[in-house]
Amino acid sequence: MKISIRLVGGIVGGVLLLSAFGAYAFTGQELAGKAKISIAQARATALRTYPGNITDQELEKEKGGSGLRYSFVIKKGHVSHEVGVDAMTGAILETPLRVTMRIKAL
């Protein structure tokens, strides 16, 4: 069976393209048109507040601020913070602490 190099290249390219778009998807993306602050701006604000790695992100309607906010879970070591950023003003809304603990098996 002969498979053309173009066909294989096209398939691989398509998979890579779809993977790249998936990396930028977030929960609540359908609300992004209502936000004045982009998710990139909100990420930068959240990371200035609590440096680390973003492990979860979403845009949601919730009480506080303008009612539309980005929420980020930022992990640094074994500690995670949830940082809220108002999607209309860019203001920090909250930074509660989350502690992740590893339990060793006996």
Side-chain angles (χ1 to χ4, degrees), residues 21-32 39 43 54-61 68-72 87:
F21 282 115
Y24 294 103
F26 56 94
T27 304
Q29 198 165 8
E30 67 279 359
L31 299 171
I39 193 161
R43 274 190 207 116
I54 294 175
T55 60
D56 192 24
Q57 58 190 5
E58 67 180 324
L59 177 58
E60 60 189 342
K61 291 182 180 180
L68 186 62
R69 67 194 233 135
Y70 292 101
S71 291
F72 300 96

Side-chain angles (χ1 to χ4, degrees), residues 1-105:
M1 172 173 17
K2 254 185 172 178
I3 299 176
S4 79
I5 293 175
R6 282 186 178 181
L7 176 62
V8 172
I11 292 170
V12 170
V15 168
L16 291 174
L17 181 65
L18 290 174
S19 296
F21 282 115
Y24 294 103
F26 56 94
T27 304
Q29 198 165 8
E30 67 279 359
L31 299 171
K34 296 179 182 180
K36 289 185 179 176
I37 304 298
S38 72
I39 193 161
Q41 292 169 312
R43 274 190 207 116
T45 299
L47 289 170
R48 275 194 305 273
T49 302
Y50 187 76
N53 295 314
I54 294 175
T55 60
D56 192 24
Q57 58 190 5
E58 67 180 324
L59 177 58
E60 60 189 342
K61 291 182 180 180
E62 195 168 295
K63 292 181 183 177
S66 68
L68 186 62
R69 67 194 233 135
Y70 292 101
S71 291
F72 300 96
V73 175
I74 302 173
K75 186 172 183 179
K76 187 174 185 180
H78 296 294
V79 179
S80 294
H81 276 277
E82 181 173 344
V83 179
V85 178
D86 191 296
M88 303 304 274
T89 66
I92 296 297
L93 298 174
E94 65 178 39
T95 57
L97 177 67
R98 291 184 182 183
V99 178
T100 305
M101 301 177 81
R102 291 186 181 174
I103 300 173
K104 291 183 179 181

